Amino acid sequence: MTQDIHDLVIAGSGIAGLSAAVYAARADLDPLILEGDEPGGQLTLTTDVENYLGFPDGVGGMELVQRGKEQAEQFGAQFEHGRIEDADLDGQPLELSLSTGDTLYTRSLIVATGASARWVGAENEDELMGAGLSTCATCDGAFHRGDDVLVVGGGDSAMEEALFLAKFADSVTIVHRREELRASEIMADRAREHADVQFRWNTELEAIHGSQADGVTGATLVSHPDGYPRKKAESGVDVERETVDVGGVFYAVGHTPNTQFLEGTGVERDEDGYIFTETDDAGRPTAQTAVDGVFAAGDVADPRYRQAITSAGTGSMAALDAEEFLETRQNSDGSSATAHPRPEQTAP
């Protein structure tokens, strides 16, 4: 028996992975897309997308993802459930061990596994995510014109989210569990000096009120003068609770890139796990990682923008770079798109 070797495997089925799949499939690379544990990625948590090019009336996040999948399938892309748990990227072919127990072999890999927004564990957040609870002010801020909203967090991202939301909301309150911000001084000062941005120090979000039909209608805040009130409440310390009327809640407590499976592979990442991509000989950006044949696209390599449109762009870049890599390799050693046995996988 021989093990098929794919020309290209794309890990992730969010906008970056789907964009890469469309480009790769149109180039006859027969890409295999691994959908992961959360098919469609973060965009499926967004009810309406109004800033994606080509949809002047907006489009549902799930609908946009489904259209992308159908488009990729139309050109021949194949989809498979499963995520990569371990990867051997030392030499060719690349070896991918999946959560399903299967092992895949491929000449090239696009990592588009995204970054998961951290949640705070407030009551009802599962039900209300995408219905007034959001992790992206740029995506959903315009839906909150005239609302009072909360931003949970204390870093630069929280300050940026609050300042953006202040363009639309009547008031923005930053909820932070202690008295000191992690944000840079310049970002903290901008937020403090804005007339429509307030702070609730030593305070945490305990519960969000509302429904899928009505959206967010309020929130319960818990506070203690020494900070970290939820932890104190769990240990039996008396804390103060207050219910406030708000029309939206935004989490800005960071993201975790889904790159754990790349540990020890040679793919370079920063201290938070975001993948570094390289520049070409002229200093222009590429999707190439430090490992030949491995490319990165979308939020997994983008701690800054994290937008659907930028993810789509880097997805196309990764597919084009992968196509060039495969063509160069084929010209140098005669490799083709047909299946070949991996020597150690050959059985009598």
Side-chain angles (χ1 to χ4, degrees), residues 199-272:
F199 286 83
R200 289 290 302 267
W201 303 108
N202 300 319
T203 301
E204 290 183 273
L205 178 68
E206 185 175 63
I208 310 170
H209 309 301
S211 65
Q212 281 284 331
D214 298 330
V216 168
T217 58
T220 297
L221 302 179
V222 57
S223 61
H224 188 279
D226 295 332
Y228 300 92
R230 287 180 59 181
K231 185 177 294 186
K232 287 181 170 58
E234 290 170 0
S235 61
V237 176
D238 288 338
V239 297
E240 292 187 8
R241 286 182 172 82
E242 177 187 0
T243 299
V244 295
D245 294 329
V246 294
V249 177
F250 289 80
Y251 285 173
V253 291
H255 290 71
T256 301
N258 301 313
T259 59
Q260 297 87 344
F261 67 93
L262 294 172
E263 184 73 33
T265 62
V267 173
E268 295 180 356
R269 301 174 296 159
D270 69 12
E271 61 183 8
D272 294 319

Side-chain angles (χ1 to χ4, degrees), residues 113-176:
T113 45
S116 299
R118 297 176 191 146
W119 295 12
V120 302
E123 184 180 342
N124 298 324
E125 66 181 11
D126 288 330
E127 178 187 354
L128 293 173
M129 181 59 74
L133 172 61
S134 173
T135 61
C136 179
T138 307
C139 309
D140 300 323
F143 298 119
H144 293 278
R145 295 180 188 275
D147 286 345
D148 298 315
V149 301
L150 302 179
V151 173
V152 181
D156 278 352
S157 293
M159 304 304 110
E160 291 170 1
E161 298 275 278
L163 291 167
F164 182 84
L165 287 166
K167 299 176 183 179
F168 308 100
D170 268 3
S171 72
V172 180
T173 301
I174 298 173
V175 177
H176 190 45

Side-chain angles (χ1 to χ4, degrees), residues 40-54:
Q42 294 266 329
L43 205 62
T44 61
L45 301 176
T46 301
T47 51
D48 293 300
V49 181
E50 291 191 324
N51 56 1
Y52 197 86
L53 188 65

